[in-house]
Amino acid sequence: MQNAKPLPSYLVQRYQGWKATSYKENESWYRRLAEEGQHPRAMVISCCDSRVHVTSIFGADQGEFFIHRNIANLVPPYEPDGDRHGTSATVEYAVTALKVAHIVVMGHSSCGGVQGCHDMCSGKAPELEEKSSFVGRWMDILRPGYEKVKHIEDESERKRALEKEAVLTSLANLMTFPFVQQAVEGGQLSLHGVWHNIGEGSLEHYLPEEGVFKAV
Amino acid sequence: MQNAKPLPSYLVQRYQGWKATSYKENESWYRRLAEEGQHPRAMVISCCDSRVHVTSIFGADQGEFFIHRNIANLVPPYEPDGDRHGTSATVEYAVTALKVAHIVVMGHSSCGGVQGCHDMCSGKAPELEEKSSFVGRWMDILRPGYEKVKHIEDESERKRALEKEAVLTSLANLMTFPFVQQAVEGGQLSLHGVWHNIGEGSLEHYLPEEGVFKAV
Amino acid sequence: MQNAKPLPSYLVQRYQGWKATSYKENESWYRRLAEEGQHPRAMVISCCDSRVHVTSIFGADQGEFFIHRNIANLVPPYEPDGDRHGTSATVEYAVTALKVAHIVVMGHSSCGGVQGCHDMCSGKAPELEEKSSFVGRWMDILRPGYEKVKHIEDESERKRALEKEAVLTSLANLMTFPFVQQAVEGGQLSLHGVWHNIGEGSLEHYLPEEGVFKAV
Amino acid sequence: MQNAKPLPSYLVQRYQGWKATSYKENESWYRRLAEEGQHPRAMVISCCDSRVHVTSIFGADQGEFFIHRNIANLVPPYEPDGDRHGTSATVEYAVTALKVAHIVVMGHSSCGGVQGCHDMCSGKAPELEEKSSFVGRWMDILRPGYEKVKHIEDESERKRALEKEAVLTSLANLMTFPFVQQAVEGGQLSLHGVWHNIGEGSLEHYLPEEGVFKAV
């Protein structure tokens, strides 16, 4: 790989600060984690967005959360067709190898991926319809969700509803994985849907009995 | 989604602690991030492993890093075939929409995904060869890497070498994306490969001129 | 300007070292900063003192902090009289154009400007009382602060208290600017006062509820 | 000051990283700097812009540079009228108290303050003409500089020329201070003008004999 460069010094400096403080004071724990392997209690599926700071929001420490982050926190349906399915691989590993007790799907406000899906489905982003658009093809997962919210008149309300549909779509798709369904029904695993408002710092979770997201 | 459950109280409690402290003291910044959108300087591609704590190691704060986490920090090659490619979507969004200046691929010690690839390629994990194994099909990306390290006699050295091959494979695959190549050659983007030893807390970066990973 | 001279070679050498290392490894980021403009998260107002190394203490990198440095980190009160007010211009630009989320006023130990104010107010530095003394007229901003600490018997304690009064005076004066007050009250901006002990490397921040500076 | 808040945790974390690394390894030097006072070799007058990273460009360490940063690196002319002149106070302190050997005025590309002056003088920013505009009144210092470059047809060339005029104006104004003139003529002080291109990482210094800025 001739095109790689050394790590920029600002990251080296950040790392060295961590090494001298956090690492040093937790050295014995980190050594033990390395020797014994990870036993995370929960898997979190969230967006790559730099403003969605899962580890901060849940006060995560080394070893606590198995975290998958992709565009718009989406899980595709179960498709064991022999092709590559990166997200499905993370779910499989978390549930069958690590046996996490919880999977939390976290959506968020001002989601660029959801915005793209909204624009694509409403005809405003033809470039996302192209075969070569990776973001477009990925956001296809949320097309059925758009159908459910397109009647909402106010645009910002419609996008927010679509952000929450992204969470519900992922939860529903998770249940199409036989090993997920089995673990949920056997009581070894529970699924949770949350939506985070970046600016307000608020967090809502999905309450299935009421069929709505409510502030925790 | 009738199977979802409310957020477990231990996570609610963690969230409330964050809201009362970190959120409260950074409220003005979070509001601005929500209004103006994100301008992350770097994208980090790392493993989902709960012990790989990117935000801690780099002292990351809200808005700083666009983070994609998958099994074994792998990037597949460019394949604009109209299928879903979640990881490719994250790279496309980071480079073309956010215009990040750096992509850092971070591998790590004791990587379960790399271990699986090692076992699969050496005939010790036939279940991963099955069409229905998402982890197996995902780790196929690293098969060529296994060919490069299989001559190493010592098993733990061989696995460590394979962990580093995962980083190099991702860096090489990144360059197959036309928009990545163009940004790298135009000086708008630089790629970096690092490998993190969880127990030792050490960090090595790949130096292309020497062709090796060295401690930062 | 016939009196200017070429840059001294020791600075040329320093610059060339930076160009070949830091610049080279961050080139893509610097180009992006040049094209897209700055989005600093915070403004820091600190002293010109060569020992107060804001960028080092906060691990600052290009693009992170909008930094104003003057004698004794003072902000004068709001005076829109049509005269030149260099410090007021920096605050106006940071708050109304850049919309920074934080303003941090940083005082420090062994501050020469504060020492001058102390000597002037206690009658030991008549030359600073002269109309032509720029340092004296600038330090007039801190005269009310001297009144609050002059009862302290121990001289070194008195000076330290005055250094902290310089921070509090600036914070209070900042609030006299209508655009600062509005941004603070609207939750877009927060103000912070810190005092840095150069020799000890310690840092104290002002806690308004307790009315004191305490180690962070 | 009831409106102040504790230091945000991201800055506390940065500080703690510095304390555990840079401070720790330089503790004896920092203690000595605190005891013996500063003896900086040079004063640097630069812009507050977050992208102008003086300490990085000149590899500055604690104790080396007395740094004044304001909007557009401007020095007003000598006016001992008994009013507050914050920038003049920094020059007075640097030259008469610290006896620095060099004053370096550093301008830079994409300067927002210079842009404002350009727009104001060309009639495109009437709001900056208002008495209450601190930025406008501060940029009045550069009005004569605008007169010298307004004939340049290409707008981006004209702005760049004005950025360099800001440096020359400051150098010329510095010489109106009797103590600066005396130190320069006595050979105790030399003045230097440089202009920094943020994106290119280049540095030009003013060569009085040729009357131009040239790459160092």
Side-chain angles (χ1 to χ4, degrees):
Chain A
M1 246 312 287
Q2 290 314 307
N3 286 289
K5 287 194 177 173
L7 195 64
S9 54
Y10 89 103
L11 291 179
V12 171
Q13 201 179 345
R14 297 273 190 102
Y15 158 70
Q16 285 168 341
W18 170 82
K19 182 78 188 285
T21 54
S22 282
Y23 176 75
K24 204 176 164 199
E25 73 182 20
N26 293 291
E27 190 175 342
S28 51
W29 173 241
Y30 294 167
R31 287 190 187 283
R32 195 180 134 196
L33 276 177
E35 281 164 27
E36 300 190 358
Q38 57 174 333
H39 295 86
R41 180 166 170 182
M43 175 186 196
V44 178
I45 298 174
S46 78
C47 189
C48 301
D49 193 306
S50 63
R51 300 165 300 176
V52 177
H53 212 288
V54 176
T55 49
S56 176
I57 292 170
F58 288 144
D61 208 54
Q62 252 85 343
E64 292 197 310
F65 297 94
F66 185 76
I67 302 176
H68 173 51
R69 298 180 66 170
N70 64 29
I71 298 287
N73 37 270
L74 288 173
V75 177
Y78 179 67
E79 286 182 324
D81 54 12
D83 284 344
R84 270 198 303 273
H85 296 286
T87 292
S88 302
T90 67
V91 173
E92 182 183 270
Y93 193 80
V95 175
T96 66
L98 298 175
K99 301 187 193 308
V100 295
H102 305 279
I103 298 181
V104 179
V105 178
M106 179 184 280
H108 69 101
S109 62
S110 314
C111 182
V114 169
Q115 163 92 42
C117 179
H118 175 273
D119 293 352
M120 176 175 73
C121 294
S122 57
K124 279 183 273 182
E127 72 282 8
L128 289 172
E129 297 280 11
E130 284 170 28
K131 190 181 160 187
S132 63
S133 168
F134 293 115
V135 171
R137 300 299 58 71
W138 179 250
M139 295 310 302
D140 282 345
I141 299 172
L142 190 52
R143 274 185 193 273
Y146 179 75
E147 293 305 308
K148 292 186 190 159
V149 306
K150 70 179 179 188
H151 66 280
I152 300 174
E153 288 205 8
D154 180 75
E155 184 173 324
S156 75
E157 273 182 41
R158 195 164 60 238
K159 284 181 194 161
R160 185 150 294 188
L162 191 52
E163 287 163 1
K164 293 177 180 178
E165 279 302 325
V167 175
L168 297 179
T169 298
S170 292
L171 290 172
N173 286 346
L174 276 171
M175 286 300 284
T176 65
F177 289 72
F179 45 83
V180 171
Q181 190 189 7
Q182 199 175 352
V184 168
E185 290 174 353
Q188 291 103 36
L189 172 66
S190 61
L191 308 183
H192 312 271
V194 299
W195 177 85
H196 174 49
N197 185 315
I198 288 170
E200 301 294 329
S202 57
L203 190 69
E204 301 180 0
H205 56 166
Y206 183 69
L207 303 178
E209 294 182 10
E210 309 178 37
V212 293
F213 281 80
K214 272 203 176 164
V216 300
Chain B
M1 246 312 290
Q2 291 315 306
N3 288 290
K5 289 195 177 169
L7 195 64
S9 57
Y10 88 104
L11 291 179
V12 172
Q13 205 176 346
R14 294 274 189 99
Y15 158 71
Q16 285 168 341
W18 170 81
K19 181 76 189 284
T21 56
S22 281
Y23 175 75
K24 203 177 163 198
E25 72 183 13
N26 293 291
E27 189 176 342
S28 49
W29 173 241
Y30 295 167
R31 288 188 187 281
R32 189 179 143 199
L33 277 177
E35 280 165 28
E36 300 193 357
Q38 55 176 333
H39 294 87
R41 177 168 174 178
M43 175 187 197
V44 179
I45 298 173
S46 78
C47 189
C48 301
D49 193 305
S50 63
R51 300 165 299 177
V52 177
H53 213 288
V54 176
T55 48
S56 176
I57 291 170
F58 289 144
D61 209 60
Q62 253 86 345
E64 292 197 310
F65 298 95
F66 186 77
I67 303 177
H68 174 52
R69 298 181 65 170
N70 64 29
I71 299 287
N73 36 271
L74 288 173
V75 177
Y78 179 67
E79 285 182 326
D81 53 13
D83 283 345
R84 269 199 305 272
H85 296 285
T87 292
S88 303
T90 67
V91 173
E92 182 183 87
Y93 193 80
V95 176
T96 67
L98 298 176
K99 299 185 196 307
V100 295
H102 305 278
I103 297 181
V104 180
V105 177
M106 179 185 280
H108 69 100
S109 63
S110 315
C111 181
V114 169
Q115 163 91 42
C117 179
H118 176 273
D119 293 352
M120 174 175 75
C121 294
S122 58
K124 279 184 272 181
E127 72 282 7
L128 288 172
E129 297 280 10
E130 284 171 29
K131 189 180 161 187
S132 62
S133 167
F134 292 115
V135 171
R137 300 297 60 71
W138 179 250
M139 295 310 304
D140 282 344
I141 299 172
L142 189 53
R143 275 186 192 273
Y146 179 76
E147 292 304 309
K148 291 187 190 158
V149 306
K150 69 179 180 186
H151 67 279
I152 299 173
E153 288 205 10
D154 181 76
E155 184 172 325
S156 75
E157 274 182 40
R158 195 164 59 238
K159 283 181 193 161
R160 184 149 296 188
L162 192 54
E163 286 162 1
K164 293 177 180 178
E165 279 302 325
V167 175
L168 297 179
T169 298
S170 292
L171 290 172
N173 285 345
L174 276 171
M175 285 299 283
T176 65
F177 289 73
F179 44 81
V180 171
Q181 192 191 2
Q182 198 175 350
V184 167
E185 290 175 354
Q188 290 104 36
L189 173 66
S190 59
L191 308 182
H192 311 272
V194 298
W195 177 85
H196 174 50
N197 186 315
I198 289 170
E200 302 293 329
S202 57
L203 191 68
E204 301 180 1
H205 54 166
Y206 182 69
L207 303 179
E209 293 182 11
E210 308 179 38
V212 293
F213 282 81
K214 272 202 176 166
V216 300
Chain C
M1 246 313 290
Q2 291 314 307
N3 287 289
K5 289 196 177 167
L7 196 64
S9 57
Y10 90 103
L11 291 180
V12 172
Q13 205 176 345
R14 295 274 188 101
Y15 159 70
Q16 285 168 341
W18 170 81
K19 181 76 189 285
T21 54
S22 281
Y23 175 75
K24 202 176 164 200
E25 72 182 16
N26 292 291
E27 188 175 343
S28 49
W29 174 241
Y30 295 168
R31 287 188 188 282
R32 189 179 144 200
L33 277 178
E35 280 164 28
E36 300 193 357
Q38 56 176 333
H39 294 85
R41 177 168 174 179
M43 175 185 197
V44 179
I45 298 173
S46 79
C47 189
C48 302
D49 193 305
S50 63
R51 301 165 299 176
V52 177
H53 212 288
V54 175
T55 49
S56 176
I57 292 170
F58 288 144
D61 209 60
Q62 253 86 344
E64 292 198 309
F65 298 95
F66 186 76
I67 303 177
H68 173 52
R69 299 180 64 170
N70 64 29
I71 299 286
N73 36 271
L74 288 174
V75 176
Y78 179 66
E79 285 182 325
D81 53 13
D83 283 345
R84 269 198 304 274
H85 296 286
T87 291
S88 303
T90 67
V91 173
E92 183 184 87
Y93 193 80
V95 175
T96 67
L98 298 175
K99 299 187 195 307
V100 295
H102 304 280
I103 297 181
V104 180
V105 178
M106 178 184 280
H108 69 100
S109 62
S110 314
C111 181
V114 169
Q115 163 90 42
C117 179
H118 176 273
D119 294 352
M120 175 175 74
C121 294
S122 57
K124 280 183 271 182
E127 72 283 8
L128 288 172
E129 297 280 11
E130 283 171 27
K131 189 179 161 187
S132 62
S133 167
F134 293 115
V135 171
R137 299 298 59 70
W138 179 249
M139 296 308 304
D140 282 345
I141 299 171
L142 190 52
R143 274 186 193 273
Y146 179 77
E147 292 304 309
K148 291 186 190 158
V149 305
K150 68 179 180 187
H151 67 279
I152 299 174
E153 288 205 8
D154 181 75
E155 184 172 324
S156 75
E157 273 183 41
R158 195 163 60 236
K159 284 181 194 163
R160 185 149 293 189
L162 191 54
E163 287 163 1
K164 294 178 179 178
E165 279 302 325
V167 175
L168 297 178
T169 298
S170 293
L171 290 172
N173 285 345
L174 277 170
M175 285 298 283
T176 64
F177 288 73
F179 45 81
V180 170
Q181 191 191 4
Q182 199 176 349
V184 167
E185 290 175 354
Q188 291 104 34
L189 172 66
S190 59
L191 308 182
H192 312 273
V194 298
W195 177 85
H196 175 49
N197 185 315
I198 289 171
E200 301 293 329
S202 57
L203 191 68
E204 302 181 1
H205 55 166
Y206 183 69
L207 303 179
E209 293 182 10
E210 308 180 36
V212 292
F213 282 81
K214 272 202 176 165
V216 300
Chain D
M1 246 314 286
Q2 290 313 305
N3 287 290
K5 286 194 179 175
L7 195 64
S9 53
Y10 89 104
L11 292 179
V12 172
Q13 203 180 344
R14 296 274 190 101
Y15 158 70
Q16 285 167 341
W18 169 81
K19 181 77 189 284
T21 54
S22 282
Y23 176 75
K24 205 177 161 197
E25 74 182 17
N26 294 291
E27 189 174 343
S28 51
W29 173 241
Y30 294 167
R31 287 190 187 283
R32 195 179 135 197
L33 276 177
E35 281 165 25
E36 300 190 358
Q38 58 175 332
H39 295 85
R41 179 165 170 183
M43 176 186 196
V44 178
I45 298 173
S46 79
C47 188
C48 301
D49 193 305
S50 63
R51 301 166 299 176
V52 177
H53 213 288
V54 176
T55 49
S56 176
I57 292 171
F58 289 144
D61 207 52
Q62 253 86 344
E64 292 198 310
F65 297 95
F66 185 77
I67 303 176
H68 173 51
R69 299 180 66 170
N70 64 30
I71 299 287
N73 36 270
L74 288 173
V75 177
Y78 179 67
E79 286 181 325
D81 54 12
D83 282 345
R84 271 198 304 272
H85 295 286
T87 292
S88 303
T90 68
V91 174
E92 181 183 271
Y93 193 81
V95 176
T96 67
L98 298 175
K99 301 186 193 309
V100 294
H102 305 279
I103 297 181
V104 179
V105 177
M106 178 185 280
H108 69 101
S109 62
S110 314
C111 181
V114 168
Q115 163 91 41
C117 179
H118 175 274
D119 293 351
M120 176 175 73
C121 294
S122 57
K124 280 184 273 182
E127 71 281 7
L128 288 172
E129 296 281 8
E130 284 171 28
K131 189 179 160 186
S132 62
S133 168
F134 292 116
V135 171
R137 299 299 57 72
W138 179 250
M139 295 310 303
D140 282 344
I141 299 172
L142 189 52
R143 275 185 192 272
Y146 179 76
E147 293 303 309
K148 292 187 190 158
V149 305
K150 69 178 180 188
H151 67 279
I152 299 174
E153 287 205 10
D154 182 75
E155 184 172 324
S156 75
E157 273 182 40
R158 194 163 61 238
K159 283 181 194 162
R160 185 148 295 188
L162 191 53
E163 286 163 2
K164 293 177 181 178
E165 279 302 325
V167 175
L168 297 179
T169 298
S170 293
L171 289 172
N173 285 345
L174 277 171
M175 285 300 284
T176 64
F177 287 73
F179 45 83
V180 171
Q181 191 189 6
Q182 198 175 352
V184 168
E185 290 174 354
Q188 290 104 36
L189 172 66
S190 60
L191 307 184
H192 313 272
V194 298
W195 177 85
H196 174 49
N197 186 315
I198 288 171
E200 302 293 329
S202 57
L203 191 68
E204 302 179 1
H205 55 166
Y206 183 69
L207 302 179
E209 293 182 8
E210 309 179 36
V212 294
F213 281 81
K214 273 203 175 163
V216 300

